[in-house]
Every structure is written in C-alpha cells, then in structure tokens.
Amino acid sequence: ETGVTQSPTHLIKTRGQQVTLRCSSQSGHNTVSWYQQALGQGPQFIFQYYREEENGRGNFPPRFSGLQFPNYSSELNVNALELDDSALYLCASSSLSTGDEQYFGPGTRLTVT
Amino acid sequence: QQQVKQSPQSLIVQKGGISIINCAYENTAFDYFPWYQQFPGKGPALLIAIRPDVSEKKEGRFTISFNKSAKQFSLHIMDSQPGDSATYFCAANKGFTGNQFYFGTGTSLTVIP
C-alpha cells in the first residue's frame, strides 16, 4: 500500500508569483484535504476535495484554489503569493473505510521571498 | 479563534518518565479527538484517537484520557523514550458530518536520556 506523496519537497517563489503543489492520495482513499502549517504552529485547514468536488473550506482567500482528479490525486494552487504564504503545505487523504482517520503526506515547504 | 487549546508549549522529561500533554475544546459538536506526532521535516502521523463515548483509550505506552464534561482531553506517554522526542498535536473533528480538523498549537517534547 502506497502512502500519501507530495511534490515538490521544497519550493522557493517570489512575491506575486503563482505556485502549484501536488498530492497523490493513499491507495483507495477518495478524499483529500489540504492544510497550511506555519512554523511553530498547528496545521490550518484550507479545503477538502471529495470525488472531484470541493467539500468544505477553511478561512483562506479565493487565491487558494484546488483540483481533484479522477484518480483522486489533487493540486493546490496559490495565486499572487504573499510573504505570509511561506509555510509547510500538507496533504491528507482519507476515505469512508478509514472513518475519521486522515493520513498525512510529508508536505511541501514553500518559501516566498 | 483557537478551537482547540493545547498546553504546554514545550516539555522536557527524563527517560522513563511520564509525559502529559493537555488539550481543551469548546465546540460540543466535536466527536473525534486524535493525537498526531510530527518529527522535523515530516508530516504529522496519527498516534491514537478517541471518541467521547469512552473516558480512556490505551495503545501501548500511549493513553488518551477524556473528560467530556470539562471538554478536555490529554495524552499520557508512559516510560518516555528519547525516540519519543517530537512535536505532538491534538486535534478535533465533527466526525462523519465534519470535514475540517482543528489542531492545537503543538507541544515540543524532549526526552532526556
């Protein structure tokens, strides 16, 4: 069974640029959630995708958007990057069979300069 | 508004000692309370979780104590080992009706040999 994978591992962008982060969910999981984890803080919920539709969103502006594909992999897109967007972005997958359990990937470290 | 409050921020314990981390929540709709362990550069890993219908759950050296009336829950790590040194996060979720996990701010645990 393959775990949750994310790419890239690290990324450096300039303020105002756009970025796309990718996540492959664990085998058999049809739900993907994205979190932002600032340094020294707990993860903050960005949004969740279930069967290619957004299924809930946290307190993040519209410049944070996402996609889920038929194979349940997912993308997180962030437009007009700001310095405060520098964080670890985590993807977590789950399914009805896992109940409430979410399994996290290793994250993508984004630095905005 | 922090939905889940966690303390202490950091904790130093001698090898073989008991580590205790506390969390409190306000939303009585929460019905799933996991604890995650995170090592530097890694995503959070599910450690143990509890539902409000039980007051305690034990898995190996890890125990969750849950006090529904006080809206508090805690993680106890018995016989703490240097390998337990990591950051621990409590979280809460509304179960099948909820899609958003709310995380505490984390506790950095150091176990001294």
Side-chain angles (χ1 to χ4, degrees), chain A residues 33 35 37 40-45 48 55-59 88 90 95-96 98-107, chain B residues 2 9 31-32 36 38 41-46 49 51 89 93-106:
Chain A
S33 302
Y35 292 82
Q37 185 177 21
Q41 299 296 316
Q44 297 289 319
F45 178 74
Q48 183 184 81
N55 182 41
R57 187 179 185 93
N59 189 27
L88 180 68
L90 295 162
S95 71
L96 284 179
T98 69
D100 298 310
E101 296 179 0
Q102 288 194 340
Y103 295 87
F104 283 86
Chain B
Q2 192 71 28
Q9 185 175 351
D31 68 356
Y32 178 71
Y36 285 86
Q38 186 175 29
K42 304 291 185 183
L46 179 64
R51 295 192 185 278
F89 294 95
N93 172 270
K94 297 177 186 177
F96 283 110
T97 61
N99 47 35
Q100 180 172 354
F101 277 76
Y102 297 87
F103 283 81
T105 51

Side-chain angles (χ1 to χ4, degrees), chain B residues 13-101:
Chain B
V13 173
Q14 293 277 355
K15 179 183 175 181
I18 302 174
S19 304
I20 302 174
I21 305 171
N22 302 298
C23 281
Y25 65 98
E26 288 297 325
N27 192 336
T28 55
F30 290 148
D31 68 356
Y32 178 71
F33 302 88
W35 283 91
Y36 285 86
Q37 179 189 56
Q38 186 175 29
F39 292 104
K42 304 291 185 183
L46 179 64
L47 199 58
I48 186 173
I50 198 168
R51 295 192 185 278
D53 53 345
V54 296
S55 61
E56 185 175 282
K57 183 175 181 180
K58 183 176 180 179
E59 289 184 2
R61 296 185 294 112
F62 301 93
T63 299
I64 299 180
S65 296
F66 188 86
N67 186 329
K68 188 174 181 178
S69 61
K71 292 186 286 187
Q72 294 176 348
F73 59 110
S74 60
L75 175 69
H76 292 63
I77 305 175
M78 313 299 289
D79 187 27
S80 298
Q81 299 296 313
D84 297 331
S85 297
T87 300
Y88 292 80
F89 294 95
C90 61
N93 172 270
K94 297 177 186 177
F96 283 110
T97 61
N99 47 35
Q100 180 172 354
F101 277 76

Side-chain angles (χ1 to χ4, degrees), chain A residues 15-28:
Chain A
R15 189 171 51 183
Q17 287 188 316
Q18 178 266 343
V19 69
T20 297
L21 310 182
R22 295 178 175 83
C23 170
S24 291
S25 60
Q26 189 162 323
S27 177

Side-chain angles (χ1 to χ4, degrees), chain A residues 13 19 23 25 32 36-37 40 43-45 49 51 53 61 71 74 76 79-81 85 88 92 96 98-99 106 113:
Chain A
K13 288 287 189 178
V19 69
C23 170
S25 60
V32 173
Q36 180 195 66
Q37 185 177 21
Q44 297 289 319
F45 178 74
Y49 277 83
R51 293 186 175 180
E53 296 286 335
N71 66 354
S74 177
L76 165 65
N79 293 321
L81 284 167
D85 295 334
L88 180 68
L96 284 179
T98 69
T113 62

